[in-house]
């Protein structure tokens, strides 16, 4: 049997080679034959060769099947040469190909019912005949695909055909009208559906791969037809219906490829949002893959600087990103999520907020409201990442409206935005994230001051103080909070006498109650700036400035005594030098209550403390004090009005 097969193979090869040479050289046609005779001869030769090639797999015992398959693969090129000769014959035009060649070849392909032969011959047909022939006979060629054996890799066959057609379309602008005329997309779409229906046992990865190939063809040939793109996605959705979250990793990979293709082609998420079936496909991804796809979408927005300019688009976009924005069904608990990955994802979402932009103030306010609705479902751990950028976006909108007269009935006004801000920061304070909420309350208070909304600014300060009293217990956090409160209050000029007195009294009172004496001292002398504002209409109360400085001096003296008793350290002595510099600042501002005698007394006090036996040497304090003395000497030598004021101050270097 083995020798007989080898003999068949040798005869097969010899016969085929002779036929090919005769036909290529034109022998047969010149001896009285016609083109049809030559075509008929090659088709018969092709049919017999293919039958012999297919029969070889059934000859011999089953144990030799693997060897026979190997021999068949070695002989298959000879079968394919017949199709190559047909494509090269002069006189085989489109009409003959359509009416004679293709139907006869496909008949043999379908009837042979052999997996290897069908795949190989379909591939040969696609590769050897011209592109325009495929285009004009597309329906016939595609009609054979559902009739192939279920084990044939049809998705690869059709993918190769679509790739050839898309390359053909890209080769010339004149080809596209032909594609439209023959309705190539409709025929390919119909063929994909029929192939999937004809093979009910086709793995999911195969079905999705067919849609990926069709979508790739559509994006290359009909890039401006979003309805075609959405139709492909819709067909994939039908195939995925009832399957829930896809578990197969290969199928999942193909779904990601399907979703990524429009993003890569259009480089515009706004265009993708117009695809109604896009989100429906995405719903079939498992939790982790859905998150990865959401990250890809955000990265595309950042890379292409895409602006999301309407509340409807924000709604649609956040629906795609829901796995990053809120806890969904099937998501692991927060305790099971990697903290670093979670922070990276949420920071990416936070960056996305700055891409929500519209110059129309009313629409921008709608965008912010829509975003907050989605972020509000994210849970405490997400809010501290997502709400702050939303608050700053609202503050930016307030700045844009500043100076515009908008009545209370307007759809958007500073007052309505501040209500939005108050509710948003309040939600953040319950996370709890009190320190962050306090900072944001102060930002809102400053913005309200710039908008001349005194009651609003006062309310934000009130909320900041309440957070300080009730939620901030750490001593270092208290120091930072007081510095922020004092600094913000110093920059607000909207308050009347009563409200300002209330707030400054609160600030100085809390400053004096900080845990550590040095912190108390620095906070109290910082409060002195609340009573001397140089801007027009600002408070200028020299008496209270001096009271703050004297109170700070008493606290510094107490700190120095405590330090001397406990450690013999000169650490708190630096507080005296800092207070001296504050005296000099107000002295130069011309505050009558800060006199040269007070400065002289403080200079002598510091000098005495430095010479005390109980004071340890500290080079940093010595250098600080020496620098301050040099500054005074420099001012005395300038020769201007300020030098005259400094002239009465005597600077004596310590021994």
């Amino acid at each position: 049997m083995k020798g007989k097969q080898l003999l068949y193979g040798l005869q097969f090869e010899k016969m085929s080679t002779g036929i090919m040479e005769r036909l290529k050289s034109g022998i047969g046609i010149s001896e009285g034959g016609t083109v049809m005779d030559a075509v008929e001869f090659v088709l018969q030769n092709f049919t017999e060769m293919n039958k012999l090639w297919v029969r070889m797999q059934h000859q011999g015992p089953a144990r030799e099947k693997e060897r026979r398959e190997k021999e068949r693969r070695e002989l298959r090129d000879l079968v394919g040469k017949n199709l190559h000769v047909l494509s090269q014959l002069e006189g085989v035009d489109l009409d003959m190909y359509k009416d004679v060649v293709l139907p006869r070849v496909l008949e043999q392909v379908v009837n042979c019912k052999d997996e290897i032969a069908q795949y190989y011959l379909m591939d040969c047909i696609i590769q050897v005949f011209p592109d325009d022939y495929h285009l004009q006979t597309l329906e016939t060629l595609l009609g054979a695909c559902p009739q192939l054996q279920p084990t044939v890799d049809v998705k690869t066959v059709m993918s190769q055909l679509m790739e050839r057609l898309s390359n053909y379309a890209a080769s010339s602008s004149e080809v596209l009208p032909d594609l439209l005329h023959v309705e190539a997309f409709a025929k390919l779409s119909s063929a994909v559906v029929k192939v999937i229906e004809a093979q009910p046992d086709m793995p999911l990865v195969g079905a999705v791969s067919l849609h990926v190939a069709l979508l790739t063809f559509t994006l290359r040939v009909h890039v401006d037809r979003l309805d075609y793109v959405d139709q492909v996605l819709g067909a994939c959705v039908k195939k995925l219906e009832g399957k829930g979250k896809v578990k197969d990793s290969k199928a999942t990979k193909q779904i990601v490829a399907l979703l990524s293709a429009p993003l890569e082609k259009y480089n515009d998420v706004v265009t993708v949002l117009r695809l109604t079936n896009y989100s429906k496909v995405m719903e079939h991804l498992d939790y982790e893959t859905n998150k990865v796809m959401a990250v890809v979408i955000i990265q595309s927005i950042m890379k292409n600087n895409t602006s999301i300019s309407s509340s409807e688009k924000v709604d649609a976009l956040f629906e795609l990103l829901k796995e990053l924005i809120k806890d969904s069904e099937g998501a692991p608990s927060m305790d099971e999520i990697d903290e670093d990955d979670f922070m990276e994802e949420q920071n990416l979402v936070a960056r996305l907020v700055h891409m929500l932009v519209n110059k129309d103030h009313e629409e921008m306010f709608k965008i912010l409201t829509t975003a907050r609705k989605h972020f509000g479902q994210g849970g405490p751990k997400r809010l501290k990442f997502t709400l702050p950028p939303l608050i700053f976006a609202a503050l930016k909108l307030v700045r844009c409206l500043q100076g515009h007269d908008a009545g209370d009935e307007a759809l958007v006004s500073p007052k309505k935005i501040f209500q939005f801000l108050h509710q948003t920061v309040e939600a953040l304070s319950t996370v709890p994230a009190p320190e962050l909420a306090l900072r944001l309350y102060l930002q809102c208070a400053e913005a309200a001051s710039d908008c001349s909304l005194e009651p609003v600014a006062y309310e934000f300060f009130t909320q900041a103080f309440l957070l300080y009293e009730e939620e901030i217990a750490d001593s270092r956090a208290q120091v930072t909070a007081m510095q922020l409160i004092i600094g913000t209050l110093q920059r607000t000029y909207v308050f009347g006498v009563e409200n300002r007195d209330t707030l400054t009294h609160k600030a100085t009172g809390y400053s004096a109650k900080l845990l550590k004496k040095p912190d108390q001292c620095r906070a109290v002398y910082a409060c002195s700036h609340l009573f001397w504002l140089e801007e027009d209409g600002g408070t200028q109360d020299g008496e209270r400035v001096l009271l703050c400085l004297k109170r700070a001096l008493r606290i510094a003296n107490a700190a120095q005594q405590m330090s001397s008793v406990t450690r013999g350290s000169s650490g708190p002595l630096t507080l005296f030098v800092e207070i001296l510099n504050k005296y000099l600042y107000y002295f130069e501002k011309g505050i009558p209550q800060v006199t040269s005698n007070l400065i002289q007394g403080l200079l002598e006090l510091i000098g005495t403390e430095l010479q005390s036996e109980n004071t340890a040497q500290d080079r940093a304090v010595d250098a600080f004090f020496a620098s301050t003395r040099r500054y005074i000497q420099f001012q005395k030598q300038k020769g201007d009005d300020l030098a005259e004021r400094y002239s009465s101050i005597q600077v004596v270097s310590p021994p």
Side-chain angles (χ1 to χ4, degrees):
M1 180 63 70
K2 180 178 179 182
K4 189 175 181 180
Q5 287 179 357
L6 291 176
L7 179 61
Y8 279 154
L10 291 172
Q11 291 175 344
F12 190 17
E13 182 173 3
K14 183 177 179 180
M15 177 180 64
S16 299
T17 304
I19 291 169
M20 305 311 168
E21 294 299 325
R22 285 175 60 83
L23 288 171
K24 286 181 180 178
S25 63
I27 297 174
I29 298 176
S30 62
E31 295 177 352
T34 64
V35 173
M36 183 57 71
D37 293 335
V39 169
E40 185 66 30
F41 179 78
V42 176
L43 285 173
Q44 288 180 2
N45 190 58
F46 161 74
T47 301
E48 294 304 320
M49 284 183 178
N50 189 56
K51 288 179 179 178
L52 175 61
W53 184 45
V54 172
R55 282 199 303 270
M56 286 177 63
Q57 71 166 316
H58 303 295
Q59 297 174 353
R63 65 177 179 273
E64 296 181 0
K65 182 177 180 181
E66 184 176 346
R67 180 179 57 78
R68 290 199 305 273
E69 294 292 350
K70 182 179 179 181
E71 291 177 357
R72 289 188 66 210
R73 292 189 185 96
E74 293 172 353
L75 294 173
R76 67 181 181 181
D77 289 345
L78 294 173
V79 179
K81 281 182 180 179
N82 289 276
L83 299 179
H84 179 70
V85 168
L86 283 171
S87 69
Q88 298 295 315
L89 278 177
E90 294 183 9
V92 178
D93 56 11
L94 177 59
D95 290 336
M96 184 175 291
Y97 175 77
K98 183 190 301 184
D99 298 334
V100 178
V101 175
L102 185 60
R104 292 276 296 276
V105 172
L106 289 179
E107 180 184 7
Q108 177 60 32
V109 171
V110 172
N111 290 338
C112 74
K113 299 186 182 301
D114 179 75
E115 173 189 351
I116 296 176
Q118 287 183 335
Y119 176 79
Y120 173 68
L121 293 175
M122 289 297 291
D123 182 57
C124 285
I125 294 169
I126 293 169
Q127 299 301 329
V128 301
F129 290 104
D131 295 320
D132 58 326
Y133 283 22
H134 293 324
L135 190 59
Q136 298 302 324
T137 60
L138 190 57
E139 190 169 4
T140 303
L141 183 58
L142 291 172
C145 292
Q147 302 178 56
L148 301 178
Q149 294 297 102
T151 52
V152 175
D153 186 8
V154 185
K155 67 178 185 300
T156 303
V157 172
M158 294 187 67
S159 297
Q160 290 172 344
L161 175 61
M162 286 185 267
E163 184 178 1
R164 280 209 66 173
L165 291 177
S166 59
N167 290 335
Y168 181 46
S171 65
S172 173
S173 59
E174 299 176 357
V175 176
L176 186 57
D178 293 336
L179 282 165
L180 295 173
H181 178 70
V182 301
E183 299 180 336
F185 172 77
K187 291 176 180 177
L188 287 167
S189 299
S190 176
V192 168
V193 173
K194 288 179 180 178
V195 165
I196 294 174
E197 290 176 350
Q199 299 187 11
D201 296 329
M202 177 186 287
L204 184 61
V205 61
V208 179
S209 297
L210 277 172
H211 289 104
V212 171
L214 180 59
L215 183 62
T216 303
F217 168 82
T218 307
L219 290 172
R220 292 187 65 184
V221 178
H222 304 291
V223 65
D224 57 332
R225 293 295 301 266
L226 282 180
D227 55 330
Y228 284 0
V229 177
D230 207 26
Q231 184 177 326
V232 177
L233 295 173
C236 189
V237 170
K238 288 183 180 179
K239 181 60 183 176
L240 294 171
E241 278 180 356
K243 298 188 181 298
K245 303 292 184 182
V246 176
K247 305 296 183 183
D248 180 45
S249 60
K250 292 182 179 179
T252 297
K253 187 176 181 180
Q254 288 300 313
I255 293 174
V256 170
L258 187 77
L259 293 169
S260 301
L263 280 175
E264 294 169 0
K265 185 65 179 181
Y266 295 118
N267 289 324
D268 182 11
V269 171
V270 174
T271 302
V272 173
L273 292 177
R274 292 162 59 188
L275 302 171
T276 57
N277 289 304
Y278 193 89
S279 60
K280 296 176 183 178
V281 175
M282 199 166 169
E283 286 177 0
H284 290 280
L285 293 173
D286 61 71
Y287 172 75
E288 288 298 332
T289 310
N290 205 309
K291 277 206 309 181
V292 171
M293 197 64 224
V295 168
V296 169
I297 291 172
I298 298 178
Q299 289 173 338
S300 174
I301 293 173
M302 299 300 175
K303 178 183 176 181
N304 299 295
N305 199 29
T306 306
S307 297
I308 313 301
S309 56
S310 73
S311 57
E312 291 80 9
K313 292 174 183 175
V314 171
D315 214 10
L317 175 62
F318 282 14
E319 188 61 30
L320 292 180
L321 308 178
K322 60 185 177 183
E323 301 292 3
L324 295 180
I325 293 175
K326 61 184 179 182
D327 295 331
S328 59
E329 185 179 351
S333 66
M334 282 296 175
D335 297 333
E336 299 172 344
I337 295 176
D338 182 85
E339 191 68 25
D340 292 337
D341 291 345
F342 179 77
M343 289 177 62
E344 185 176 349
E345 291 164 359
Q346 295 308 305
N347 282 325
L348 197 59
V349 175
R351 291 176 59 197
L352 177 64
V353 173
H354 301 292
M355 307 308 294
L356 312 181
V357 179
N358 193 309
K359 292 182 179 179
D360 181 81
H361 299 154
E362 292 183 3
E363 186 60 35
M364 187 62 201
F365 188 56
K366 289 181 183 178
I367 288 173
L368 297 176
T369 305
T370 302
R372 189 180 67 179
K373 179 189 71 175
H374 285 274
F375 288 152
Q377 303 172 36
K381 291 194 71 172
R382 289 186 177 88
L383 291 181
K384 62 183 180 182
F385 292 97
T386 55
L387 291 189
L390 196 63
I391 290 166
F392 281 104
L395 287 172
K396 183 178 179 180
L397 180 58
V398 165
R399 302 292 185 187
C400 294
L401 289 172
Q402 192 173 327
H404 291 252
D405 291 330
D408 293 337
E409 300 301 322
L411 294 176
V412 58
S413 65
K415 286 185 178 180
K416 290 187 176 181
I417 298 174
F418 281 119
Q419 290 173 358
F420 170 89
L421 285 165
H422 190 283
Q423 295 167 2
T424 307
V425 182
E426 187 176 31
L428 189 61
S429 66
T430 61
V431 168
E435 296 171 39
L436 178 58
L438 184 140
R439 289 172 180 266
L440 294 172
Y441 273 133
L442 295 176
Q443 289 280 348
C444 295
E446 189 174 352
S449 173
D450 293 341
C451 293
S452 301
L453 297 173
E454 180 180 0
V456 177
Y458 187 84
E459 175 61 23
F460 280 119
F461 266 110
T462 301
Q463 294 300 321
F465 277 120
L466 286 173
L467 274 180
Y468 180 86
E469 292 174 1
E470 299 174 0
E471 301 293 340
I472 300 179
D474 180 76
S475 60
R476 291 185 179 181
Q478 287 181 338
V479 172
T480 302
M482 283 314 306
Q483 291 171 343
L484 291 169
I485 289 172
I486 293 167
T488 306
L489 192 54
Q490 183 186 351
R491 295 191 299 272
T492 54
Y493 309 105
V494 71
F495 295 120
V497 175
E498 184 178 349
N499 285 339
R500 175 163 286 278
D501 283 349
T502 302
L503 295 174
T504 52
H505 176 74
K506 278 279 189 185
T508 52
Y510 284 126
S511 297
K513 293 178 182 178
L514 292 172
L515 180 63
K516 298 178 181 179
K517 291 293 183 183
D519 293 334
Q520 289 180 18
C521 178
R522 292 186 174 102
V524 168
Y525 72 59
C527 286
S528 64
H529 290 282
L530 301 178
F531 304 106
W532 193 269
L533 305 176
E534 294 186 317
E535 285 72 12
D536 293 340
T539 301
Q540 293 188 346
D541 190 340
E543 290 290 345
R544 297 184 72 175
V545 169
L546 186 58
L547 283 174
C548 285
L549 295 177
K550 287 183 175 180
R551 189 174 186 181
L553 196 57
R554 287 196 300 271
I555 297 171
N557 187 53
Q560 174 67 11
Q561 291 176 2
M562 290 172 62
S563 181
S564 298
V565 170
T566 56
R567 299 190 301 273
S569 170
S570 64
L573 191 58
T574 189
L575 295 173
F576 288 96
V577 186
E578 292 174 17
I579 294 170
L580 171 60
N581 279 271
K582 285 296 176 185
Y583 269 93
L584 293 175
Y585 170 81
Y586 290 116
F587 181 68
E588 292 182 5
K589 294 297 181 183
I591 297 180
Q593 289 80 4
V594 181
T595 64
S596 58
N597 290 335
L598 291 173
I599 295 173
Q600 186 70 57
L602 191 51
L603 281 167
E604 292 172 0
L605 173 64
I606 296 171
T608 301
E609 288 291 337
L610 286 173
Q611 297 174 44
S612 172
E613 294 180 356
N614 295 327
T615 303
Q617 294 296 316
D618 189 325
R619 292 183 179 180
V621 176
D622 293 341
F624 190 11
F625 187 47
S627 178
T628 304
R629 294 199 308 274
R630 286 195 301 273
Y631 175 79
I632 295 172
Q633 290 285 18
F634 172 75
Q635 295 293 350
K636 291 176 67 173
Q637 296 169 9
K638 285 177 66 175
D640 54 10
D641 293 340
L642 195 57
E644 184 177 347
R645 296 187 62 206
Y646 269 98
S647 61
S648 59
I649 300 175
Q650 301 300 316
V651 180
V652 180
S653 300

